[in-house]
Amino acid sequence: MVEQSIGKSVLRKEDLRFITGNGRYTGDIDLRGQTHGYFVRSPYAHAVVGEVDTSEARSMPGVVAILTGKQVAEDELGGLPCGWMIHSKDGSEMKQPLHPVMAATKVNYVGEPVALVVADSFDEAKNAAEHVSVDYEELPAVVSTAAAQSGPDIYAEAPGNTCYQWELGEKAATDAAIEGAAHVTRYSLTNNRLIPNALEPRAAIADFNRGTEELTLYTTSQNPHLARLILTAFVQIAPEHKLRIIAPDVGGGFGSKIFVYSEETALAWASMKLGVAIKWTAERSESFLADAHGRDHVSDAELAMDEEGNFLALRVKTTANMGAYLSTFASAVPTYLYGTLLAGQYKTPNIYVEVDSVFTNTAPVDAYRGAGRPEATFLVERIVDLAAKELGVDPAELRRKNMIQPADFPYQTPVALEYDIGDYEVSLNKALEMADYAGFANRKADSEANGKLRGIGLSCYIEACGLAPSALAGALGAGVGLWESGEVRVNPTGSVTVLTGTHSHGQGHETTFAQLVASRFGISVDDVEVVHGDTGKMDFGLGTYGSRSLSVGGSALSVAADKVVEKGRKIAAHLLEGDVDNIDFEDGEFRLKESNRSKTFQEIAFAAYVPHDYPIEELEPGLAEKAFYDPVNFTYPAGTHICEVEIDPETGVTEITKFTAVDDFGTIINPMIVEGQVHGGVAQGIGQAMLEQCVYDESGQLQTGSFMDYCMPRADDLPNFTVGMTTTVCTHNPVGAKGCGEAGAIGSPPAIINAITDAVGVRDISMPATPEKVWRAIQEQRA
Amino acid sequence: MSISVQLNVNGKSVKLDCPANTTLVDLIRERLELTGTHVGCDTSQCGACTVHLNGRAVKSCTILAAQCEGAEVTTIEGLGDTDNLHPMQEAFRECHGLQCGFCTPGMIMSAVDLVHREPSINERVIREGLEGNICRCTGYHNIVLAVESAAKKMRN
């Protein structure tokens, strides 16, 4: 039993099906009699839609129907909503232009769906789509984030293309502190736009049964219940109890599969209209055009310090690109997941942030691994590094000097959050040791002797996970609660079925949650099955994002498991003829104190379902318990990442010679899985810092629309990672976990840019720091 | 235009008629219903569709079924099964070399071919050899460990 308990690297239960080709992703499912959908998409970034002529296409072989945005409008389908209301500093509500399921009168980004062709085969649907003729009258496109507010208005209701102008913190106090400061470091930056590129493209099958009036939607979702709520309550596709959403194996998400998109919505509507099952699988080109993108901020920041380098104030002005429409969570990302994190790990007493969110004629932008927190961390950890350079002090020591100390917890930041616990200096020290920070000077000398440049960079990040107390989220504008559900069903033979409202698409919940429950009951993980991803099977749940699954979903399971044990103790008390207060439960056995009498977990389970000798008058039969867990605070994973690079000055090619990540995630259930999450997150952070950049040209055409043009991290681009852990246990959830899914992508980019600028000896190199940019910086430095 | 193809897939002889523009991956997934082989892109970049054609790893999205007349094709389903895993499959599980599992079949098929054709296996050889297979989840660290581990077993 010990080898499967909490804290052990149990091999993943889910792996056998994936390594043998037995995974079942949406694209692997075929339904009898299904048809295939293909979307006609706008080739223009901004245009008035005139006549849509489908006559030629409709007569092509295999075509079943062609449905257009105009029919969506005629059917009075609701728009795709954004679930988080942000208020501007003047108190006004954010502008939320209609996000139609398919465009009827105007298209606002390249790739926006205009019509859906339904045919007997994929090839027939795609061929026919090329013969749908759409009259477009092109309009000038707004593309640049920084210039969006001076461009022509995309929507009459959003003057200056401004969605909202949000603020957080004390402006007057911050201004005054900066005014009187001994030293102010200033930094202007762009946080580059990224395309998530989960390796499984989005896909869906909508299957309406006219007899039962039930609609089943298979889709690549991180949160099937949330999708059902949006499709029923807002878009009003079908009644909630008649819509079943199944998210089977999902091939990565990273945020991009949280959102409810046009495609599965149109498919659901079309299936009901036509009475046929319709399948759609995105081609990668469609993923590039129409998956929600990430990041895309332009910011100016000022950090004020006294003579000793104590931080006095941070002032930030950010413009955040929302793209053409507000995607499902878009509005919350550059506000409550960004501005609230600007304190970082430091005791900066005054912080003020303004965020203008803008519309552009580009794909919608929403949460992507880290969602707001990478943008905040990059800004803080870059400006702190610049400050250290300007003051001529060691970057590690300037950070250490300003860190929140263990005695300061709970710590109220000036930007709304209350950190419950952490020990940032312990992580810093461990990372410095693991990275051999002290030996850097020697390594740099060696590199220089070989004609190479060498640099080292730190990042001490904090993030907020486990989103969030429902009442707080509601007060801040969230349209949903943010609790999680869990059910622990003990079967009569003592095996356990666990149902969770979270969704696993690579995170390994089937193993982690099994370990959590198995260790509580003293049974084998092989006797626990975790079920997720089907609204027909489990209670309503909020899904997986924001590294919330273990801290919120796992907590729900922990509470449910406690209820099972409590009921088991009552059953045991009856069978052992003792008082319930004298029943202990340990290592899978219910024991009567001061006796040698006990019942196994399995015996109690059997007694609960075969209640022949049972306290039936006081206790219902059965042994299945549910819990809905609402978090009482965010969780605050934190740590230090250190990157060391060596650069060939003749080519600008940068090699990461060592990447060290030391993280505090609270209680860890499965270290192997946690380290894997760190590896993957750091890889995406390296991608952002050195490789990836979404580029639109000035007319709004996507220039990086394939893996040939958008540089994904490949095996030979990345180093091995050195990963360490420190632990302060989360104070407010029963698991003690903080969440580990996003930290790698949050902590790593500033460490990398700090290392590269350190090596080259320049103030800044924008992300991604490609060999060309690095080479140019070296040339300018030498000139 | 329809063509007739005869080939051997995972040890079974297959003869079927298909449109001339049918790709090998379409034949495998849609006609033979072997859905372990995945499609992750449309530019022959991601490698999720990698299978063995006459013993060499190929991206099956870029091969026409018509080119496979008489060929031996092995997919992930033919490499090993749940009761008899190939050392590479076993190593991916033991080293946590997969997360969402979508790239995994293609990655494993490429890795097996890499070990067969490279005389010496080390981190650099593995990283360069798997450059044609994209994984968005793992950061490749554990994939490298898995291939190193499997290579030892395959050579013993």
Side-chain angles (χ1 to χ4, degrees), chain A residues 48-53 133-137:
Chain A
V48 173
V49 177
E51 193 193 347
V52 179
D53 182 357
S133 168
V134 183
D135 285 341
Y136 293 103
E137 183 192 330

Side-chain angles (χ1 to χ4, degrees), chain A residues 12 19 25 27-28 196 199 252 284-285 368 506 672 676-677 679-680 684 692 708 713-716 718 720-721, chain B residues 29 35-36 38 40-42 45 76 89 96 98-103 123 127 131 134 136-141:
Chain A
R12 297 203 322 169
I19 57 177
Y25 301 87
D28 300 337
L199 205 64
R284 179 57 57 182
S285 312
Y368 165 63
M672 176 193 80
Q677 290 295 305
H679 296 164
Q684 288 180 7
E692 299 178 40
M708 322 256 289
R714 293 166 189 259
D716 57 352
L718 299 179
N720 282 326
F721 308 113
Chain B
R29 281 183 59 84
T35 56
H38 298 145
C41 77
D42 43 16
Q45 291 284 305
I76 189 71
Q89 292 170 310
H96 188 30
L98 66 147
Q99 291 183 22
C100 81
F102 195 81
C103 78
E123 187 201 337
R127 287 187 180 277
E131 188 265 351
I134 296 175
R136 193 54 151 167
C137 293
T138 65
Y140 306 100
H141 178 113

Side-chain angles (χ1 to χ4, degrees), chain A residues 84 336-337 340-341 373 415-421 463-469 472-473 476 482 546 551-552 631-637 730-733 737-738:
Chain A
W84 204 300
Y336 292 110
L337 295 177
T340 51
L341 271 301
R373 292 152 289 167
V415 277
L417 297 178
E418 187 186 86
Y419 300 166
D420 65 330
I421 194 169
E463 55 153 333
C465 296
L467 192 71
L472 172 65
L476 300 179
L482 285 163
S551 68
V552 188
V632 298
N633 191 357
F634 290 89
T635 61
Y636 299 99
C730 175
T731 59
H732 57 77
N733 68 50
K738 299 180 182 179

Side-chain angles (χ1 to χ4, degrees), chain A residues 401-419:
Chain A
K401 184 188 192 74
N402 285 282
M403 271 178 182
I404 299 161
Q405 296 299 313
D408 297 328
F409 295 104
Y411 179 81
Q412 177 63 54
T413 74
V415 277
L417 297 178
E418 187 186 86
Y419 300 166

Side-chain angles (χ1 to χ4, degrees), chain A residues 74-155:
Chain A
E74 283 161 18
D75 280 10
E76 298 181 343
L77 230 52
L80 299 172
C82 176
W84 204 300
M85 170 55 68
I86 300 296
H87 288 86
S88 285
K89 50 194 159 191
D90 66 4
S92 61
E93 293 188 344
M94 69 183 187
K95 307 295 191 295
Q96 192 176 354
L98 176 73
H99 184 178
V101 174
M102 293 194 286
T105 56
K106 189 152 96 61
V107 286
N108 291 306
Y109 66 96
V110 170
E112 183 171 0
V114 176
L116 167 64
V117 178
V118 180
D120 291 335
S121 73
F122 172 80
D123 286 342
E124 287 167 332
K126 187 174 181 179
N127 288 340
E130 287 175 15
H131 294 267
V132 173
S133 168
V134 183
D135 285 341
Y136 293 103
E137 183 192 330
E138 202 177 355
L139 299 168
V142 178
V143 179
S144 152
T145 308
Q149 288 172 302
S150 53
D153 289 350
I154 301 170
Y155 302 107

